[in-house]
Amino acid sequence: MAVAVAVAALPAALPAHAAVQSDAASRQSATSLDASVEVPVAAAHALSEGAKFSVAAIEASGNAVAVTVSAVGAGASLVVKLSAEQARTLGLSVGASVVITAVAAGWLISDAAGHVFCFVPDERARRHLHSRRVS
C-alpha cells in the first residue's frame, strides 16, 4: 500500500513540463572550434608572408610525435603530428630550420634536407580536404 501511495504522489512531485536545457556547453564548444580555426589561419598568414620557421618542440606519445613548428618573430605556430618512425627517419631536433615551399594549393613543410613532412592547404584548398578511415 505504501508503494502505491508513493507511485501516486510521484507525478505531483515532478514539474509539469521539462525545463529548457542550457546551450552553454554548445556555445563553449563552438567557441573552442572558432579558436582552433584561427590557429591555421594565423599560421597560413605567417607562411604566406615568408616567415622563417624552426622546430620549437618535439613531444612523443606512444607511436606518434607532435612537432611544434614556430614562425620566428611572427608569433604563429602549428603542430604537425608524425609517426614515431617518420620522426626518427627525419631526425628533426629542436631548433632545426624548417623549409617552406609555396605550391598552388598551399605550402609544403620540409626539413633542411628537403624531406617533405607536412602539407598546409590554403583557404581555397582546405574546403576540399577530408579524411575517412579506410578499412
Side-chain angles (χ1 to χ4, degrees):
M1 179 78 166
V3 174
V5 172
V7 171
L10 188 59
L14 296 176
H17 58 81
V20 177
Q21 290 183 336
S22 170
D23 65 343
S26 295
R27 287 192 312 245
Q28 288 173 348
S29 178
T31 302
S32 70
L33 287 175
D34 291 343
S36 67
V37 169
E38 294 296 325
V39 174
V41 171
H45 180 68
L47 288 165
S48 66
E49 294 293 318
K52 304 267 187 232
F53 283 81
S54 66
V55 176
I58 299 174
E59 294 181 39
S61 176
N63 290 331
V65 175
V67 179
T68 303
V69 178
S70 296
V72 178
S77 64
L78 56 104
V79 176
V80 178
K81 293 183 181 176
L82 306 172
S83 69
E85 181 180 340
Q86 184 181 17
R88 199 172 20 260
T89 302
L90 288 170
L92 292 174
S93 61
V94 173
S97 292
V98 177
V99 178
I100 308 299
T101 305
V103 294
W107 301 270
L108 299 174
I109 300 177
S110 58
D111 64 3
H115 301 109
V116 175
F117 61 89
C118 181
F119 168 70
V120 179
D122 63 12
E123 188 174 326
R124 290 175 293 157
R126 192 175 300 132
R127 66 178 174 237
H128 298 292
L129 297 178
H130 67 278
S131 64
R132 178 176 22 165
R133 173 166 261 157
V134 178
S135 54

